[in-house]
Amino acid sequence: MASSSVASRPIASLLVKAGPAIISVGLLLLAWELYASYSGIKPTILPAPSRVFEQAMLNREALVDNAIPTIRATLLGFACSLSAAFALSMLVDFFQPLRRALFPVFIVSQTLPLVAIAPLVVLWFGFGLAPKIMLVALVTFFPMLVALVEGYEATEAEVGQMLRAMGAGRWRIFVLARLPSALPYFFAGLRISITYAVVGAIFAEYAGAAKGLGIYMLNAKNNFRPDLVLAAVGVSAALTLVLFGLTVLLQRLAMPWERAGKETAGKRPWR
Amino acid sequence: MSRLELRHVRKAFGGLDVLADISLSVGAGEFVSILGPSGAGKSTLFQLLTGAEHGEGEMLFDGARLDDHGRHFAFMPQRDALMPWRRILDNATLGLEVQGIRRKAARARVAPLFAEFGLAGFERHFPAQLSGGMRQRAALLRTVVQERDMLLLDEPFGALDALTRTAMQRWLEQMWRHHRWTALLITHDVREAVFLSDRIYVLSARPARIVREIEVPLPRPRSLGGDAARQASALEAEILDIILNPNPSKGHDHD
């Protein structure tokens, strides 16, 4: 096995793929930097990116210190919503009437404005971790549930018929066919809701917390330090990107057949 | 002696008659085809046999009423129905695993057959890495290793391109000569039915009834040239005529 070529090729292709993104973000930052330096705008209104970066470095300990509770709330809340969504998706799959009974409730839960609900949850459950977990779970639960339920439904009817003919019961069919059929849907849902999760956690902290990126942003804003607000935004964006990347990585590991199929496309024998 | 026997089987879906009156039999080691136009309810017949649906009439296997459906039939659906997440080897063992055979034992039983099915060396591949013909062979392998009494093949080559389909028909005929499976094939391909079958039941359009039962007297191996080929062509023409002109006595089809 030529392991070096296998390792270097993805990096090269990653650079090719990331190139346009790097250029566009770079140009944006450059334009912003030039505007901030030459328009005479005050740094307390719009700080230049260089200043944001400089202040982020100077305040890195505080930023890390405040990022940790946010990460914790995000991951714990997401884990809760994932387990709940999985359990409920199975229930819904086995007892279809439940779908009609429960989905309207969940759809309404998605229409609650976070601005209104976050302070209330903090009011009811305090400044601790619990309200953050609840809010993260609230915003991520429904997308995950829908992804799973629709994923089960995407199972090929013929596969089900074949398994029944083989003598498989409902549970066997679920484990052998419906669950794996849902994997692409599951990961699509995961990618969407992991980005909601970080926003949900920050919103919850914004409404009241001892520590966290949300409350850090609020305090920085109140102290007329937009540079530190933006530094915290940068940290949360980085955090979201890392989590997003992890889900992509996880999908590759969990679904090796996807890449295998793409790589051999066009190289197959004709019959 | 006939293994499978259907007597006056009928099935309606919500007032729509799909199967009007189906009586047929399949003998041990016999290859029988059900030939009919699309939407005639051919697949519904298999749903009755595999127990996915219930109809009226009598269905007998070895003279006993068909109850425990999974026991007698190995079913091969229209598309290959291979699971994309399972390697070919694990797709092939699926039926055995459902029967409760341990994965290791199931693999040991399936592995020696890969060469015969033209899949040697592809055990660890995913279905997406195989061509259409190979996928169908893998699906047939998955079907026959279940060692049921009878194969139910539902338009197994319908999704393939014409060349691959012809190649697969030849291959299947050759495989059948070696194994002599008792098989019931559903198809709308007249040539396929004539090439593969000992007997053909021709279905009418919906509601389906059997309009003709045709013996295929051609020698095996089914050849592609000479007298046999001419005989096959004549038979194909006759069957096509039955299907496309269901009521020749009325004579209104050509005016």
Side-chain angles (χ1 to χ4, degrees):
Chain A
M1 269 304 233
S3 61
S4 65
S5 75
V6 170
S8 67
R9 204 157 31 100
I11 291 171
S13 78
L14 193 72
L15 275 179
V16 170
K17 272 186 221 158
I22 292 171
I23 292 169
S24 65
V25 171
L27 284 176
L28 198 71
L29 287 176
L30 188 68
W32 175 3
E33 181 78 38
L34 291 173
Y35 181 76
S37 334
Y38 295 106
S39 68
I41 196 164
K42 279 191 235 161
T44 47
I45 305 292
L46 181 70
S50 59
R51 183 184 162 84
V52 171
F53 186 73
E54 184 190 76
Q55 287 302 311
M57 283 294 121
L58 285 174
N59 292 280
R60 60 180 180 274
E61 255 174 60
L63 280 169
V64 169
D65 207 31
N66 281 285
I68 286 167
T70 307
I71 295 172
R72 192 182 297 142
T74 304
L75 294 182
L76 281 174
F78 201 55
C80 285
S81 91
L82 216 61
S83 336
F86 184 57
L88 211 74
S89 71
M90 276 174 61
L91 265 177
V92 167
D93 197 53
F94 278 85
F95 308 102
Q96 290 289 338
L98 265 182
R99 183 173 181 160
R100 256 169 286 159
L102 293 178
F103 266 46
V105 180
F106 297 135
I107 291 168
V108 167
S109 82
Q110 289 307 291
T111 66
L112 302 175
L114 219 48
V115 212
I117 209 79
L120 283 178
V121 174
V122 171
L123 184 70
W124 296 331
F125 299 97
F127 293 110
L129 197 56
K132 281 89 187 170
I133 291 177
M134 287 180 67
L135 277 171
V136 171
L138 181 74
V139 295
T140 57
F141 169 75
F142 187 67
M144 287 316 300
L145 180 70
V146 170
L148 284 167
V149 169
E150 295 199 342
Y152 302 147
E153 293 296 316
T155 309
E156 263 187 86
E158 288 180 329
V159 171
Q161 198 196 346
M162 178 186 72
L163 282 168
R164 265 193 302 277
M166 285 172 172
R170 282 193 79 180
W171 176 248
R172 286 300 283 279
I173 292 176
F174 181 80
V175 173
L176 286 171
R178 296 181 79 80
L179 199 56
S181 293
L183 272 178
Y185 292 77
F186 169 78
F187 279 108
L190 198 64
R191 281 200 300 272
I192 294 169
S193 43
I194 199 83
T195 58
Y196 290 175
V198 179
V199 174
I202 288 175
F203 234 110
E205 290 165 353
Y206 208 83
K211 256 187 195 175
L213 285 176
I215 198 73
Y216 185 86
M217 288 174 195
L218 186 66
N219 289 335
K221 189 206 80 175
N222 290 341
N223 293 329
F224 303 104
R225 291 295 302 275
D227 49 348
L228 287 182
V229 174
L230 288 170
V233 167
V235 171
S236 89
L239 179 62
T240 307
L241 278 176
V242 167
L243 289 174
F244 189 89
L246 279 178
T247 63
V248 173
L249 198 69
L250 201 65
Q251 180 168 15
R252 283 198 180 174
L253 292 175
M255 302 176 63
W257 61 89
E258 256 198 350
R259 277 163 67 74
K262 273 178 205 153
E263 274 165 17
T264 47
K267 292 190 232 164
R268 288 185 290 254
W270 73 275
R271 67 183 169 97
Chain B
M1 142 141 212
S2 73
R3 299 214 77 178
L4 176 70
E5 189 163 0
L6 304 187
R7 293 181 190 155
H8 307 295
V9 168
R10 291 192 297 155
K11 174 70 184 170
F13 286 104
L16 181 70
D17 282 332
V18 177
L19 301 178
D21 181 10
I22 304 291
S23 298
L24 58 81
S25 66
V26 181
E30 196 180 18
F31 197 113
V32 174
S33 289
I34 295 177
L35 181 66
S38 292
K42 302 190 294 291
S43 294
T44 305
L45 194 59
F46 275 9
Q47 284 179 335
L48 297 181
L49 290 175
T50 57
E53 296 286 347
H54 297 276
E56 295 163 67
E58 266 188 299
M59 302 197 292
L60 306 173
F61 201 93
D62 288 343
R65 277 198 55 188
L66 203 57
D67 42 10
D68 185 1
H69 296 282
R71 209 176 55 216
H72 299 298
F73 304 114
F75 169 62
M76 180 171 169
Q78 253 168 44
R79 275 166 295 167
D80 51 58
L82 293 173
M83 295 179 171
W85 53 88
R86 284 182 161 235
R87 296 175 190 277
I88 296 301
L89 184 59
D90 299 326
N91 263 298
T93 59
L94 184 67
L96 299 177
E97 275 177 56
V98 171
Q99 285 175 30
I101 294 169
R102 286 183 181 283
R103 185 172 272 207
K104 208 176 161 189
R107 285 181 168 186
R109 237 165 92 177
V110 171
L113 296 167
F114 268 70
E116 194 183 358
F117 279 74
L119 294 166
F122 289 89
E123 292 87 345
R124 310 290 303 161
H125 282 57
F126 288 112
Q129 295 172 290
L130 268 58
S131 68
M134 293 175 90
R135 292 172 61 117
Q136 289 300 334
R137 290 201 293 270
L140 188 70
L141 175 57
R142 176 193 61 203
T143 311
V144 300
V145 292
Q146 296 173 40
E147 296 187 351
R148 303 290 193 183
D149 300 321
M150 188 170 164
L151 304 183
L152 300 181
L153 311 174
D154 187 354
E155 290 184 25
F157 309 135
L160 299 176
D161 65 88
L163 283 175
T164 307
R165 191 186 315 145
T166 307
M168 288 296 293
Q169 288 160 358
R170 289 192 199 177
W171 174 81
L172 180 62
E173 203 263 334
Q174 178 200 332
M175 289 293 282
W176 183 84
R177 270 188 278 118
H178 289 156
H179 294 273
R180 296 280 163 171
W181 300 303
T182 305
L184 185 59
L185 170 84
I186 281 179
T187 183
H188 54 233
D189 182 338
V190 176
R191 182 164 289 176
E192 178 170 287
V194 170
F195 187 75
L196 291 170
S197 315
D198 298 315
R199 237 158 11 94
I200 301 171
Y201 288 100
V202 181
L203 286 196
S204 68
R206 200 177 61 215
R209 59 185 78 242
I210 285 168
V211 291
R212 193 76 69 88
E213 179 188 345
I214 292 166
E215 294 273 346
V216 181
L218 304 174
R220 290 187 191 263
R222 295 280 155 89
S223 64
L224 300 142
D227 268 355
R230 260 188 303 270
Q231 231 177 314
S233 298
L235 202 54
E236 284 163 21
E238 185 191 332
I239 294 171
L240 268 177
D241 200 48
I242 295 169
I243 295 176
L244 299 178
N245 303 312
N247 304 310
S249 55
K250 289 179 188 168
H252 292 314
D253 287 52
H254 299 292
D255 53 20

